[in-house]
Amino acid sequence: MPQTLSRTCLGSSNGSSSSSKVATLLLLASCSSLVAAGGGSREGRCSGSGYMSVGWSGMSRDKCIERAAEVQKDTSQCSFLSYSSSLQPQQQSQFCLCFKDCSELTHPSVEVWETVNPAEAKANLDDSSRTTVVITVIEGAAGLLVAMIAIVCYNRHHRGIRAASSLKDNTNGGTSDGLSDGTSDGI
């Protein structure tokens, strides 16, 4: 029966559906947005004490990047941003650090740091946000399309069952209005 339904609704005999093609396209788009969001990050923290802390308690990584890009734009003192989600830097509000120069990266024990160019990282955040919106819209449209296809399939399938039932009644000498001579009752 599922094979019959797919032939009836999609007009194909090989069993492939357009919804599987849409799902494949959505998966590829999602993967490309994940690759785009990662760009330019290096593991470690810029060395030296010549930094400016631009973070505050509860600040997210994305907000840290946005703030650092703003500082760089306004002062040119944040060419490099070192960010950590580790407990100690977070507790000390020393997790979002701007550096003018960064010739060497350090790897403090029990802390995880990443260093990025804040302008590039912000551009990646913006691109990622746009991509996320586009993907969400595409996923919504695909869901709507799948629902519409399901409704059409359901209606065509049940219309076919009613037609087959009516044809069966007619070939057995009966009519659908209950009259044996095939005439209407004049109403």
Side-chain angles (χ1 to χ4, degrees):
M1 182 155 117
Q3 186 70 16
T4 306
L5 262 172
S6 88
R7 277 189 221 144
T8 303
C9 298
L10 303 173
S12 69
S13 59
N14 63 4
S16 68
S17 70
S18 60
S19 60
S20 66
K21 292 174 186 171
V22 170
T24 301
L25 289 174
L26 290 174
L27 180 62
L28 289 173
S30 297
C31 290
S32 66
S33 70
L34 291 175
V35 170
S41 177
R42 298 181 296 162
E43 192 175 310
R45 179 189 154 207
C46 290
S47 62
S49 59
Y51 64 84
M52 178 185 348
S53 178
V54 295
W56 57 82
S57 179
M59 178 185 254
S60 70
R61 177 185 178 276
D62 291 355
K63 286 291 182 195
C64 172
I65 290 171
E66 289 174 4
R67 177 68 182 128
E70 191 177 288
V71 169
Q72 174 60 15
K73 182 180 170 189
D74 294 344
T75 68
S76 299
Q77 298 295 310
C78 193
S79 299
F80 299 92
L81 168 67
S82 291
Y83 174 82
S84 178
S85 60
S86 298
L87 184 61
Q88 186 173 353
Q90 288 281 329
Q91 287 177 336
Q92 296 172 350
S93 289
Q94 295 292 308
F95 59 90
C96 185
L97 309 177
C98 280
F99 292 83
K100 185 173 182 172
D101 298 306
C102 186
S103 58
E104 184 180 333
L105 294 175
T106 63
H107 300 81
S109 62
V110 302
E111 294 177 7
V112 177
W113 286 86
E114 70 172 310
T115 297
V116 297
N117 173 307
E120 288 177 12
K122 182 169 183 330
N124 286 337
L125 286 177
D126 294 343
D127 289 346
S128 179
S129 294
R130 278 188 226 105
T131 302
T132 300
V133 168
V134 169
I135 288 173
T136 302
V137 169
I138 289 171
E139 287 173 343
L144 192 59
L145 179 64
V146 168
M148 289 171 45
I149 289 170
I151 290 169
V152 168
C153 290
Y154 178 81
N155 286 336
R156 284 188 180 180
H157 178 70
H158 283 284
R159 198 177 314 139
I161 289 174
R162 284 193 308 265
S165 176
S166 176
L167 182 61
K168 182 179 172 188
D169 288 345
N170 286 338
T171 58
N172 289 336
T175 60
S176 58
D177 63 4
L179 300 174
S180 60
D181 64 356
T183 61
S184 68
D185 60 1
I187 297 178

